[in-house]
Amino acid sequence: MRLLLVEDDNHVAAALSAVLARHGFDVVHARNGEEALRAVLPATHPGKPPFGVVLLDLGLPDQDGYQVCGKLRKLTSTPVIMVTARADVRSRIHGLNLGADDYVVKPYDTGELLARIHAVARRTSAGDELPAPGPGGTTDDALRLGGVTVELPTRRVRVDGETVQLTRKEFDLLALLAQRPGVVFRREQIISEVWHTSWEGTGRTLEVHVASLRSKLRMPALIETVRGVGYRLVTPGD
């Protein structure tokens, strides 16, 4: 897999590139936001396959990493993993709202980083090659929950007719809950189904994705926290 590493510290980039190369990644290093944006353009690397993942450090010298993430999302659908020292939930939600697929908080374990890279890349193709919606703007295989419509084949979500942009993991999480509204999903079950891991460190990621979904859908009560157990999607009238 080709991986774009956006990191301004050459020593950090060299060490990380060596680790990633040992695990089979073809790493391209961009030292700032401008280089990163140029790197994702097909004309920059003619004949090369597109990147499988972008690993984006937020502390860049020329522009804020959040701005770079937003620009990358307009240029490519390649999954973006933010690398940040900002551990607060609000910063993470902001990154997800801009289109990041996941984040890693410094200092991180290399095993954690590799697991997250593989997790976000695993289902990229399935999310990009999808059939078009039918004449009514939705597909036959759609879940309707009050004002929320979840189109499973096209991975589109609408709230009161307006399309809401979700990351892959946000959609996977919403689709899992929406297919069995009212049913309580245990945290371990959600992590297994959506992140394909039983690793306990993913729990905080789940909380941030739930918070981001509530914010994007503008329906905080739609996903209910069942204390000590997990989450359920609340059906209209509950």
Side-chain angles (χ1 to χ4, degrees), residues 25-37:
F25 291 95
D26 178 10
V27 181
V28 173
H29 177 208
R31 294 166 180 78
N32 54 52
E34 191 60 36
E35 286 186 17
L37 296 172

Side-chain angles (χ1 to χ4, degrees), residues 116-188:
R116 293 185 183 276
I117 290 172
H118 286 296
V120 299
R122 188 175 290 120
R123 294 163 68 181
T124 299
S125 296
D128 290 341
E129 298 176 6
L130 296 164
T138 61
T139 64
D140 293 334
D141 193 4
L143 304 173
R144 293 174 177 82
L145 304 151
V148 179
T149 301
V150 182
E151 301 174 11
L152 298 178
T154 60
R155 299 177 68 87
R156 290 185 176 88
V157 174
R158 303 174 191 271
V159 177
D160 296 328
E162 179 184 348
T163 299
V164 177
Q165 298 297 326
L166 301 182
T167 67
R168 290 181 179 84
K169 292 305 180 187
E170 287 171 348
F171 180 88
D172 292 343
L173 172 57
L174 177 61
L176 176 66
L177 299 176
Q179 290 180 76
R180 299 178 66 188
V183 174
V184 178
F185 285 82
R186 292 178 293 104
R187 294 168 60 88
E188 297 84 356

Side-chain angles (χ1 to χ4, degrees), residues 83-101:
V83 181
T84 175
R86 308 169 196 177
D88 61 289
V89 173
R90 183 173 297 180
S91 295
R92 299 178 190 183
I93 291 175
H94 182 49
L96 293 172
N97 285 338
L98 288 172
D101 293 84

Side-chain angles (χ1 to χ4, degrees), residues 37 56 64-76 80 82 95 98-100:
L37 296 172
L56 174 64
D64 184 78
Y66 286 123
Q67 294 179 325
V68 176
C69 180
K71 294 175 182 178
L72 283 171
R73 187 48 67 230
K74 294 177 181 178
L75 294 172
T76 177
V80 175
M82 286 184 169
L98 288 172

